Amino acid sequence: MHIPIRISGKLIQYVAAVCVNISSVVYGINIAWASPVILLLLSDDSPLEVGPVTKADTSLFSSILYIGGMMGTLIFGWLADRIGRKWSLYLGTLLQIPAHLLIAFATGLTHLYVSRILSGLAAGASFVVTPIYVSEIAENSIRGALGSYFAFCVCIGILLGFVIGTCVPFFTSPYVVIAIVFVFVVIFPFFPETPQYLLLSGKVKQAEESIRFFRGLNKDLTQQVPDSVKLELDQLHSSSTTTKKATSISLEDFKPKSTRRALIISFILIAGRNCCGIFPLINFTSSIFEEAGTDLTPNMSAIVVGLIQLIGIYISLMCIDRAGRRILLMISSVGTGICLLILGCHFYLKSIDVDLSSYGWIPLISCSGAVFIAALGVMNVPFFIVAEIVPAKIRSSVATAFLFTSLLHSFLFVQYLITFIDAFGMHTCMWIFAGWCFFELIFVLAYVPETKGKSADEIVRVLEGKNAKSPEQAIDRADDSSPSNVPR
């Protein structure tokens, strides 16, 4: 794509990250919209012709989204290595249009179930492809910030989902989502494929044009380029993980110590998004606040929580390339755990008939605090840590496998959360979630390295337990005061 005027490369990367994450906004809407709608479907004012539905129906209505997500991770994870990151995400996001048209014309639960499966397929594409696309176009200096956009945009979608589900009529809300998808459909084709995927496919010229585009340079390969971009191109060409044509993955690709460590870190951090309790609770926020008896209405409480989560993600976005990944994960883990302990104590006292009528603010404050602090790290950082530490050759396959597992966790949590609460009490559920948070704190302290501002080769060395900079790199950087901008 020809740029007629000089535009900052970083500005182009920011715009691309915003555009690609429109799909993340829609995914967030799909998650949160169900929360206020569940109360509507259970009521006598149900918009469906079949009338009010059962709690079992609403559990399936919420959880079936993740069944679609599991299928989506497999389908679009495979497509990401066949037709590219760009077009696999584009095709996946298009599925949101028929999904929401089904809601607009729904007469029974079957329409809603099929709609949620289609939205889940689209979510799978967003989960797998979006972090990879952003990581592969970003410079080191802003890679963390751009990586944070995924979780930030999901939180924007969650807030919008609460608002739309509460304030917009049931049969009108799908058209709001379709309008958002239309913006993505029109704009995203103007951005090129990632340079790393193009090199993996043996398309060297297109890869150089792509990296020139994302660095704000003219696509003419004969024009002079800055030294930093020359270095970036040289390292992309020489890297053994990106210059050779994509081949079948074998066990040899998993033998390096750095790769094995990266896989363990990725699995624990992605699993933590569900096991910390925040994500499952978002699906039933309104119902939980209805049981807690807060001073605000359940749906208004849910909107407040969505807004607080968005603020937390924004602060994380501002800090991720300043404070670093580890410190945000540690603060987030311990803070979320404490808030969930308090919330569990509140529900326990309520279960033994202690009068808490004067303390209706406690569940709102503790739940909001947990959501806010989790947004700083536990819910946000894992996505782009995976994109940073997993080698490029196996990145798509590993992301597919781990996100499939994560969505399976989501399905099980959402499907059986109410059953578990009925059997063991809300307080037990909160305390189990808190226990995971404290485990994750210990895991990060003992096992997760800092990747802030490091290139692909430096991250590999850190994962191997070596100095981030090789002797050669140390000499080179002593002669060049400007940081290298080599994307993973």
Side-chain angles (χ1 to χ4, degrees), residues 117-266:
I117 289 175
L118 290 175
S119 291
L121 288 170
S126 181
F127 256 62
V128 173
V129 184
T130 300
I132 295 175
Y133 185 92
V134 171
S135 177
E136 291 182 354
I137 69 170
E139 301 176 30
N140 277 356
S141 60
I142 59 173
R143 189 179 61 220
L146 296 187
S148 296
Y149 277 24
F150 180 84
F152 182 68
C153 288
V154 170
C155 287
I156 290 176
I158 287 172
L159 178 58
L160 287 175
F162 285 140
V163 173
I164 292 170
T166 301
C167 304
V168 180
F170 181 85
F171 292 112
T172 304
S173 59
Y175 296 107
V176 177
V177 181
I178 290 173
I180 296 172
V181 174
F182 182 75
V183 175
F184 173 87
V185 169
V186 171
I187 297 176
F188 188 55
F190 289 96
F191 293 96
E193 182 58 80
T194 70
Q196 288 194 16
Y197 173 78
L198 292 169
L199 282 175
L200 283 169
S201 302
K203 300 175 181 178
V204 177
K205 181 180 178 181
Q206 293 94 320
E208 292 187 8
E209 291 176 351
S210 174
I211 201 168
R212 284 172 171 269
F213 174 87
F214 287 115
R215 300 303 175 260
L217 304 172
N218 192 292
K219 66 184 291 186
D220 184 359
L221 301 183
T222 63
Q223 288 196 357
Q224 186 69 21
V225 299
D227 291 340
S228 60
V229 178
K230 276 186 179 179
L231 177 61
E232 194 170 359
L233 285 167
D234 290 342
Q235 292 195 351
L236 281 174
H237 280 298
S238 63
S239 173
S240 61
T241 60
T242 56
T243 54
K244 62 184 179 181
K245 197 170 183 178
T247 58
S248 299
I249 295 173
S250 67
L251 289 177
E252 293 296 321
D253 297 311
F254 298 90
K255 283 188 176 181
K257 177 182 176 181
S258 58
T259 301
R260 296 196 307 271
R261 186 176 176 185
L263 295 179
I264 294 171
I265 292 170
S266 300

Side-chain angles (χ1 to χ4, degrees), residues 13 16 47-48 75 96 141 150 187 190-191 227 287 302 317 350 359 380 404 406 409 432 434 436 451-452:
Q13 293 166 58
L48 301 179
I75 294 170
Q96 296 285 7
S141 60
F150 180 84
I187 297 176
F190 289 96
F191 293 96
D227 291 340
S287 301
L317 180 67
K350 192 171 185 293
Y359 301 95
N380 175 26
F404 179 90
S406 177
H409 292 163
I432 291 174
W436 173 274
T451 60
K452 180 186 73 171

Side-chain angles (χ1 to χ4, degrees), residues 27 31 65-66 127 154 158 272-285 309 371 374 379 406-407 409-411 413-414:
Y27 170 59
I31 296 172
L65 175 73
Y66 308 109
F127 256 62
V154 170
I158 287 172
R273 297 189 73 253
N274 285 309
C275 296
C276 74
I278 302 304
F279 187 77
L281 293 181
I282 287 173
N283 288 269
F284 298 105
T285 304
Q309 183 182 37
V371 167
M379 298 293 290
S406 177
L407 289 165
H409 292 163
S410 298
F411 168 75
F413 273 102
V414 174

